Each structure stands twice: as C-alpha cells, then as structure tokens.
Amino acid sequence: MTRQIHEFNDIIRKLRKNLFGKGPERIQTIFVNDMAIATLYGNLSPSEQFIARTAEGKEMVHAARTRMIQSVYDSAAPEGMEELVGAKFVHLFSDIKIEDDIAVSVFLFDRPIDQKGTAGGKPDETR
C-alpha cells in the first residue's frame, strides 16, 4: 500500500471515529482519475447494531449516518486531505448498507489524483 493511501484512510477513520464514536475496522481505497473510492467495513457501533434490529431502526441508522457524514463534508474537507492528494475536494457521495455493515464513499476532487495512487489501479487496504 502506498503511504498516500494509508494516510488518506487514516483521515477517514479518525473523522468517523470522532463523529460516530467508532471508526471503520477496515478501509479499502483506490484512486481513479479525480476520485478516491473507499469501501469501509465494520462501521456500526454496538448501539447502532441494536437499533438496526428492526426495519424502522435500520432506516433511522442509515438516515442518521448518511446525513451526518454529508453535513460534515459539505462544510469543509477534513484537515490534511487536500494537501495529501494535491487537489481541492469538491464533493462526497456516500452510502451504507446497514445489514452488511459496509459503507462506500466516493470523494470527488477538482483534478486527477491517481498519478500518486496505486500502480495499475489495484485497491489498497488498511486494517
């Protein structure tokens, strides 16, 4: 894994831990053109897992997580992210599948960031 992707994953993990009280257990990220695509595994806290045992609870956890993360990124990019990739953060597209505790976030930047990314476009992971 490249140092750049490792540091990018650390930024994501720290932000989500501060926001939700628990960061993802594993993050797999790939840089493609002007995007960073991150798949996050093991996101839900024990309280969220308990709430999500019902259909209404799943919807509540999904809505809260999706809206909270969007609102954080709407105000500004996390500290150090733009400097790390050498581009201005434009937008975050994010969703979570509560049943499988998997989230995907697509970070869009104003110019290509993959020139410093992984060779051959292969995904990198942190655990």
Side-chain angles (χ1 to χ4, degrees):
M1 169 190 337
T2 67
R3 176 197 62 80
Q4 185 185 32
I5 288 179
H6 178 75
E7 289 179 20
F8 190 88
N9 290 348
D10 282 346
I11 290 170
I12 295 170
R13 183 176 289 106
K14 288 175 187 173
L15 183 139
R16 289 179 186 241
K17 183 175 182 178
N18 289 338
L19 186 61
F20 299 116
K22 179 186 182 302
E25 295 167 4
R26 183 168 59 101
I27 304 173
Q28 180 178 346
T29 298
I30 185 169
F31 292 166
V32 180
N33 298 321
D34 59 349
M35 297 175 289
I37 304 165
T39 307
L40 302 88
Y41 302 88
N43 301 280
L44 301 177
S45 70
S47 297
E48 289 171 318
Q49 290 173 358
F50 179 79
I51 293 167
R53 293 190 319 184
T54 67
E56 288 176 340
K58 283 179 191 171
E59 181 57 37
M60 186 185 322
V61 171
H62 181 272
R65 275 197 163 255
T66 304
R67 289 181 189 140
M68 284 178 72
I69 201 68
Q70 287 288 345
S71 70
V72 167
Y73 281 90
D74 280 346
S75 60
E79 185 176 331
M81 182 177 279
E82 293 177 330
E83 295 81 6
L84 179 66
V85 299
K88 181 172 174 22
F89 172 76
V90 177
H91 191 70
L92 172 73
F93 299 90
S94 187
D95 201 3
I96 185 167
K97 185 171 183 184
I98 300 298
E99 299 84 7
D100 296 329
D101 198 359
I102 299 173
V104 174
S105 291
V106 179
F107 301 81
L108 184 62
F109 294 91
D110 69 342
R111 64 179 155 269
I113 61 171
D114 64 346
Q115 72 277 1
K116 297 179 185 175
T118 59
K122 294 180 182 174
D124 286 319
E125 295 185 10
T126 62
R127 292 181 194 246

